[in-house]
């Protein structure tokens, strides 16, 4: 392999390892003498535990221990902590209600899947078998699983101390300004919609291996995560109640995260606790059924929204009222996702004089809800883009024209006029025009007419999304040169979950140091290597990691200049590093006197005061980036059966400077499919008793390759001003833009039947019922 740098479509360096089965995932981790844990889950959604008889389970073959909630309490174990609960307050300034989630529930279960016991045995099969011998007596309690119904006066209360199921009542914006704008408006468009709950369904189920070293009074946890440092801190301080330096968290390869693997789950501190109690490592591996009832789930909003327009179609105000389901407990960032995460995002890419967003979060007897790819921003984009499409049709403008009249213009960049978002770059009209050309929008009506002759309904839908990526945090990096084997080792506080970080970090270091890509080794998560790390989430990885690696490489080069100056018998001020020109050498400026990077590293290794040629970097970014783009979806529906197909999907995105087009395309494709998956069929459906009806892949629909077309993806690069690379995050954008484009296309196809609203997921059965109902009404 040769050097490659920024902007090249380099193939992923990690793929050979992963596709040949030599990757190391959490379940691949094993330690000598390990025992195996099985978590016993509640089959009830809401019940009191009136008794647990562990006698027979403890006597079962191979069983080493059985732990209940009482055992965990006696051992002084803490809870699963939600830092987001401290991030916001009710709109009247009072604290929000904070749930307590014990590692093993003691006296009450609040959702199907709640952990009621942990069995540890010599083998995983023995632990699972022993669970059948555990006798647990439940006294059933009334349950509620309905999002909007959770705050009804007669709804069963999940947390009696709270007095209701209302977790918090929060708002942002100015209600009085919006009310006045609504009164003065020439036209007001209103909409009711559901952002349906979905299962994350990462390819790799969760797993954990815990080991306690009694001699050092030290714990090590091997698990899949999206960042080892945050997980270490949370588990140590809140679950185990130990200093953070007594816990090491290691994550290697991760088979998909999507937000869900950011969080601490009870199993992680429990295997560490069991290892200490038993004096041997303890391993737990969840299966797919377990994932459905224990992994955090996504979305689940019920929303009413309004858009006020003047006589020229200019936006006067946006109003959004949402009931958001948090599930039975506050997950790690659960309260943050419907409130602070999307705050201000309901204005989209438009000039909006007034905005008010009211959120009531509720508890239900369901699996906790937390961040899922996009984390609040897809929900906000879905609202404003559904409003824009509906408003355009109501006032007789094309969807494109209404958007163009309200876009923040490129001439206004950088733009700062709240409540509109503070864009530093972008050209939204240019992107939309580009997408319309690529989608052949002008030829659509002819295609619609041709489809109608074949008994098919065609529709086209627009969505112009914007995403706000994370900022306001620091990340760390370490770069070390091994002169003996000619390798540059790189660590960052990010964690790849399949995005291709190893490749991009290699590109950046290759470009900066001038080192062949094959000589660069990117290492995955280890909380002992760096002082901290921001973890992966919020589409921030590239600019945070690049900033930290730039600082680390600068310090490494500075250290190398001193050694090179001594070897080349020159002043340090005369030493330059030529990596940017593709030469990994230190040189005396203006001469051909050089010394190789790896030779300098070998010299450093021989000097006690130097030890190694390395640099440690830190970087903080305060400003967000705003990836954005136009998505256009074209669908065709069989009027006799309700079966549909996506004929074409066009995406024109602005991610700022593109570092690796191949990786960006992969992220966009995956994001679009996840967004379309929610819109087309994914639905975590609970019955009135809190049972998950769609609890396996036999019942939970997942998108497959032949459910989507070959996407037409392209980019217009308007560099961000907030970071050195000029990049805007790309990892979640497809998920933000796709749902509204698809739903708007379906509604457009159904306009002969007077349909102007339809909720996700859109299934063939739902479409057939609408079409059949419309035909019957016309008779």
């Amino acid at each position: 392999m040769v050097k490659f740098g920024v902007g090249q479509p380099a193939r992923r360096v990690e793929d050979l390892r992963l596709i040949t089965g030599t990757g190391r995932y959490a379940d691949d981790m094993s330690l000598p003498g390990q025992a195996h844990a099985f978590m016993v889950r509640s089959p009830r959604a809401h019940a009191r535990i009136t008794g647990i008889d562990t006698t027979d389970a403890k006597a079962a073959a191979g069983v080493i221990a059985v732990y209940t909630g009482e055992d965990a309490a006696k051992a002084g174990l803490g809870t699963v902590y939600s830092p987001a609960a401290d991030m916001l307050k009710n709109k009247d300034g009072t604290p929000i209600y904070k749930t307590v989630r014990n590692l093993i529930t003691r006296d009450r279960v609040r959702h199907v899947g709640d952990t009621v016991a942990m069995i540890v045995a010599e083998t995983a099969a023995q632990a699972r078998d022993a669970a059948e011998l555990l006798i647990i007596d439940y006294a059933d309690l009334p349950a509620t699983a309905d999002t909007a119904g959770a705050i009804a006066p007669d709804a069963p209360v999940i947390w009696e101390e709270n007095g209701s199921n209302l977790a918090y009542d929060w708002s942002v914006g100015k209600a009085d300004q919006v009310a006045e704008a609504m009164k003065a408006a020439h036209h007001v468009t209103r909409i009711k919609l559901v952002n349906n709950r979905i299962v994350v369904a990462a390819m790799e189920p969760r797993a954990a291996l815990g080991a306690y070293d009694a001699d050092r009074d030290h714990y090590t946890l091997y698990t899949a995560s999206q960042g080892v440092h945050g997980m270490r801190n949370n588990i140590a301080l809140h679950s185990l109640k130990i200093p953070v330096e007594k816990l090491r968290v290691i994550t290697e390869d991760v088979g998909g995260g999507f937000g869900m693997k950011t969080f601490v789950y009870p199993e992680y501190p429990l295997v560490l606790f069991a290892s200490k109690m038993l004096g041997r490592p303890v391993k737990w591996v969840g299966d797919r059924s377990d994932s459905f009832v224990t992994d955090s789930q996504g979305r689940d909003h019920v929303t009413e929204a309004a858009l006020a327009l003047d006589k020229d179609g200019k936006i006067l105000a946006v109003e959004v009222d949402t009931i958001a389901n948090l599930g039975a407990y506050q997950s790690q960032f659960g309260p943050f996702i419907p409130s602070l995460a999307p705050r201000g995002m309901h204005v989209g890419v438009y000039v909006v004089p007034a905005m008010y967003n009211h959120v009531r979060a509720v508890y239900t007897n369901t699996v906790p809800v937390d961040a899922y790819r996009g984390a609040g921003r897809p929900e906000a984009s879905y609202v404003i883009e559904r409003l824009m499409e509906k408003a355009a049709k109501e006032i007789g403008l094309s969807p494109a024209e209404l958007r163009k009249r309200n876009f923040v213009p490129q001439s206004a960049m950088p733009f700062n006029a709240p409540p509109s978002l503070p864009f530093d770059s972008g050209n939204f009209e240019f992107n939309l025009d580009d997408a319309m050309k690529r989608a052949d929008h002008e030829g659509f009506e002819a295609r619609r007419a041709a489809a109608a002759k074949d008994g098919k309904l065609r529709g086209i839908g627009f969505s112009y999304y914007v995403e706000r990526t994370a900022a306001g945090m620091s990340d760390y990096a370490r770069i070390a040169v091994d002169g003996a084997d000619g390798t540059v080792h790189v660590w960052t506080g990010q964690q790849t979950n399949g995005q291709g970080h190893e490749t991009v970090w290699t590109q950046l270091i290759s470009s900066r140091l001038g080192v062949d890509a094959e000589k660069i080794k990117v290492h995955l998560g280890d909380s002992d290597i760096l002082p901290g790390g921001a973890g992966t989430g919020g589409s921030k990885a590239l600019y945070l990691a690049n900033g930290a690696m730039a600082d680390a490489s600068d310090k490494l080069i500075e250290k190398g200049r001193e050694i090179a100056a001594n070897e080349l018998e020159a002043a340090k001020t005369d030493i330059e590093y030529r990596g940017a020109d593709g030469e990994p050498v230190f040189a005396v400026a203006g001469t051909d006197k050089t010394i190789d990077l790896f030779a300098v590293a070998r010299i450093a290794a021989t000097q006690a005061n130097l030890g190694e040629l390395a640099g440690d970097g830190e970087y903080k970014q305060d400003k967000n980036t705003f990836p954005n783009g136009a998505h256009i979806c074209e669908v065709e529906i069989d009027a006799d059966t309700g079966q549909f197909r996506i004929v074409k999907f066009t995406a024109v995105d602005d991610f700022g400077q593109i570092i690796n087009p191949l990786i960006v395309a992969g992220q966009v494709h995956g994001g679009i499919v996840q967004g379309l998956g929610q819109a087309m069929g994914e639905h975590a459906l609970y019955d009135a008793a809190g049972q998950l009806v769609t609890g396996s892949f036999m019942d939970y629909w997942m998108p497959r390759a032949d459910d989507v077309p070959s996407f037409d993806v392209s980019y217009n690069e308007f560099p961000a001003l907030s970071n050195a690379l000029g990049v805007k995050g790309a990892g979640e954008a497809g998920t933000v833009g796709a749902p509204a484009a698809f739903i708007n296309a379906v509604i457009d196809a159904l306009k002969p039947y007077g349909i102007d609203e339809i909720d996700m997921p859109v299934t063939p059965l739902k479409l057939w019922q609408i079409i059949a109902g419309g035909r019957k009404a016309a008779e």
Side-chain angles (χ1 to χ4, degrees):
M1 188 179 291
V2 296
K3 300 180 184 71
F4 56 73
V6 171
Q8 296 185 29
R11 291 186 176 275
R12 298 183 1 149
V13 300
E14 56 267 64
D15 281 353
L16 179 62
R17 180 181 82 251
L18 299 179
I19 65 177
T20 57
T22 56
R24 280 172 56 84
Y25 296 89
D27 188 27
D28 294 319
M29 308 295 181
S30 290
L31 293 172
Q34 68 189 18
H36 297 266
F38 180 80
M39 305 296 164
V40 182
R41 312 295 190 185
S42 169
R44 264 80 162 183
H46 199 196
R48 286 193 175 87
I49 300 174
T50 58
I52 299 181
D53 186 345
T54 63
T55 306
D56 291 345
K58 287 180 177 178
V63 171
I64 304 167
V66 178
Y67 299 105
T68 66
E70 290 297 326
D71 297 319
K74 289 177 183 177
L77 293 180
T79 62
V80 178
Y81 171 63
S82 169
D86 298 320
M87 294 180 182
L88 70 159
K89 294 183 178 180
N90 290 304
K91 62 181 181 179
D92 63 3
T94 59
I96 73 171
Y97 179 73
K98 300 177 185 179
T99 62
V100 176
R101 187 179 184 185
N102 293 313
L103 303 184
I104 303 177
T105 190
R106 295 178 62 186
D107 55 1
R108 190 164 177 167
V109 296
R110 289 182 168 86
H111 71 88
V112 173
D114 230 348
T115 305
V116 294
M118 174 173 63
I119 298 176
V120 183
E122 295 293 344
T123 69
Q126 288 172 330
R128 182 184 292 270
D129 289 345
E132 300 294 330
L133 303 176
L134 200 65
I135 301 173
I136 306 175
D137 294 323
Y138 295 99
D140 287 333
L141 296 169
T144 182
D146 178 52
T147 301
I151 52 176
D154 59 347
V157 176
I158 297 168
W159 293 91
E160 293 170 351
E161 309 93 307
N162 190 37
S164 76
N165 292 322
L166 185 66
Y168 61 77
D169 188 337
W170 176 92
S171 66
V172 65
K174 297 182 179 180
D176 54 345
Q177 287 186 5
V178 170
E180 288 300 316
M182 293 290 171
K183 290 178 184 177
H186 178 74
H187 179 83
V188 176
T189 292
R190 300 186 184 277
I191 198 167
K192 294 181 180 180
L193 56 84
V194 172
N195 208 297
N196 48 313
R197 179 186 284 235
I198 43 183
V199 170
V200 176
M203 184 179 294
E204 175 203 19
R206 292 188 297 109
L209 171 61
Y212 176 72
D213 183 339
D215 293 337
R216 295 193 299 140
D217 185 26
H218 184 273
Y219 300 83
T220 302
L221 174 67
Y222 303 85
T223 191
S225 78
Q226 291 181 226
V228 291
H229 294 91
M231 184 163 287
R232 176 199 63 185
N233 297 348
N234 196 325
I235 292 174
L237 297 176
H238 301 286
S239 300
L240 298 180
K241 300 180 181 178
I242 60 174
V244 294
E245 61 267 20
K246 288 186 176 292
L247 174 61
R248 181 185 187 186
V249 178
I250 296 174
T251 296
E252 295 198 22
D253 292 311
V254 180
F258 313 116
M260 179 269 291
K261 286 179 183 165
T262 301
F263 317 124
V264 172
Y265 295 87
E267 298 86 3
Y268 305 165
L270 284 175
V271 295
L272 294 168
F273 158 72
S275 177
K276 180 177 181 179
M277 297 295 290
L278 302 176
R280 58 193 292 191
V282 175
K283 184 175 183 178
W284 167 80
V285 180
D287 59 21
R288 186 60 62 184
S289 295
D290 216 42
S291 297
F292 269 89
V293 294
T294 64
D295 294 353
S296 65
Q297 296 178 354
R299 316 300 190 222
D300 205 341
H301 293 181
V302 176
T303 296
E304 295 186 16
L307 179 71
L309 301 168
D310 68 13
K311 61 181 178 60
D312 297 317
K314 292 291 189 70
I315 296 173
L316 298 175
V318 174
E319 183 175 27
V320 182
D321 190 291
T322 293
I323 301 173
N325 196 340
L326 298 185
Y329 303 96
Q330 292 168 348
S331 184
Q332 190 160 324
F333 294 110
F336 176 85
I337 302 308
S339 54
L340 295 172
R343 67 190 183 283
M345 297 298 295
H346 293 92
V347 300
V349 290
Y350 309 110
V351 177
V352 178
M355 184 275 296
Y356 181 66
N357 177 207
H358 180 211
V359 179
R360 286 166 290 172
V362 298
Y363 297 116
T364 62
N365 294 113
T366 61
V367 174
V369 177
D370 211 311
Y372 173 72
R373 197 170 188 173
R377 287 93 77 198
E379 295 92 314
S381 182
Y382 185 64
V383 172
I384 186 64
E385 289 306 298
R386 287 284 307 277
L387 278 170
M388 292 297 284
E389 200 90 351
K390 186 178 182 184
K393 293 176 181 178
E394 287 178 349
I395 66 175
L397 288 178
S398 74
E401 178 59 28
L402 181 62
R403 287 175 170 86
K404 289 180 181 181
R405 291 189 185 188
N406 289 282
F407 279 149
V408 174
Q410 186 189 33
S411 60
M413 302 293 179
F415 186 77
N416 190 9
S420 295
L421 296 169
F423 300 108
D424 65 1
S425 68
N427 191 333
F428 311 138
E429 185 168 349
F430 182 85
N431 293 334
L432 181 57
D433 284 340
D434 196 2
M436 291 173 67
K437 291 176 185 175
R438 298 181 72 93
D440 186 21
H441 184 259
E442 286 188 3
F444 171 71
E445 290 302 331
R447 296 194 296 277
R448 191 203 296 267
K453 293 179 180 179
D454 294 331
K456 305 292 176 62
L457 303 168
R458 279 233 181 182
I460 194 164
F462 287 69
S463 171
Y464 201 106
Y465 78 90
V466 63
E467 223 262 86
R468 178 177 56 213
T469 64
M473 58 192 72
S474 296
D475 211 347
Y476 299 82
R478 177 171 176 77
I479 303 174
V481 181
D482 187 334
D485 65 5
T487 302
V488 176
H489 297 273
V490 181
W491 297 263
T492 75
Q494 298 294 316
Q495 176 61 49
T496 186
N497 310 142
Q499 302 96 324
H501 289 173
E502 291 176 62
T503 302
V504 178
W505 295 183
T506 299
Q507 284 183 265
L508 293 170
I509 296 301
S510 178
S511 178
R512 181 172 285 272
L513 295 182
V515 176
D516 287 348
E518 62 185 4
K519 295 181 179 180
I520 299 170
K521 171 62 177 175
V522 175
H523 298 271
L524 303 174
D526 184 338
S527 64
D528 275 7
I529 300 296
L530 299 172
T536 296
S539 299
K540 65 184 184 298
L542 181 53
Y543 50 79
L544 282 185
N546 178 68
M549 288 189 295
D551 187 37
S553 61
D554 286 346
K555 290 174 179 175
L556 181 153
I557 291 169
E558 185 66 16
K559 190 173 182 179
R561 288 176 66 230
E562 193 167 324
I563 299 171
N566 184 60
E567 292 299 310
L568 297 175
E569 299 180 338
K572 182 180 176 182
T573 54
D574 291 332
I575 299 297
E576 61 185 16
Y577 186 70
R578 295 177 177 173
D581 298 322
E583 297 181 73
V585 298
F586 294 90
V588 178
T591 75
D592 59 358
K593 293 178 64 177
T594 66
I595 183 170
D596 179 78
L597 173 69
F598 298 102
V600 171
R602 288 192 291 272
I603 294 169
T606 66
Q607 299 181 19
N609 64 319
L610 295 175
E612 65 175 343
L613 183 60
D616 293 289
E618 180 180 358
Y619 174 77
K620 181 178 181 181
Q621 178 158 322
D622 293 320
K623 293 185 178 180
N624 309 100
T625 72
F626 296 93
N628 63 88
H631 285 197
I632 300 178
C633 181
E634 187 170 335
V635 300
E636 184 177 84
I637 303 169
D638 188 312
D640 293 325
T641 65
Q643 292 289 336
F644 64 85
R645 68 186 181 98
I646 299 175
V647 179
K648 188 171 186 179
F649 196 102
T650 305
V652 175
D653 296 299
D654 168 17
F655 298 130
Q657 182 175 353
I658 302 295
I659 304 302
N660 186 324
L662 278 180
I663 285 181
V664 171
Q667 288 297 291
V668 174
H669 289 183
I672 291 173
V673 171
Q674 281 187 272
L676 291 176
Q678 179 184 7
M680 295 164 63
E682 291 192 54
H683 193 186
L685 181 65
Y686 290 83
D687 67 15
Q691 292 291 330
L692 181 60
V693 177
T694 52
S696 76
F697 287 144
M698 292 292 290
D699 305 294
Y700 186 86
W701 184 88
M702 289 283 282
R704 292 165 173 79
D706 61 354
D707 292 312
V708 295
S710 179
F711 303 122
D712 180 0
V713 173
S714 61
Y715 320 106
N716 292 319
E717 300 181 47
F718 298 97
L721 306 181
S722 59
N723 61 84
L725 287 177
V727 299
K728 304 171 183 178
E732 296 166 288
T735 317
V736 181
F742 173 78
I743 294 297
N744 287 336
V746 170
I747 292 172
D748 185 55
L750 294 175
K751 69 179 181 180
Y753 301 95
I755 300 300
D756 61 4
E757 292 187 23
I758 189 171
D759 280 321
M760 302 184 289
V762 172
T763 63
L765 175 60
K766 182 183 287 189
L767 292 175
W768 179 82
Q769 290 171 332
I770 289 171
I771 294 168
R775 286 173 172 172
K776 187 174 182 180
E779 291 176 354

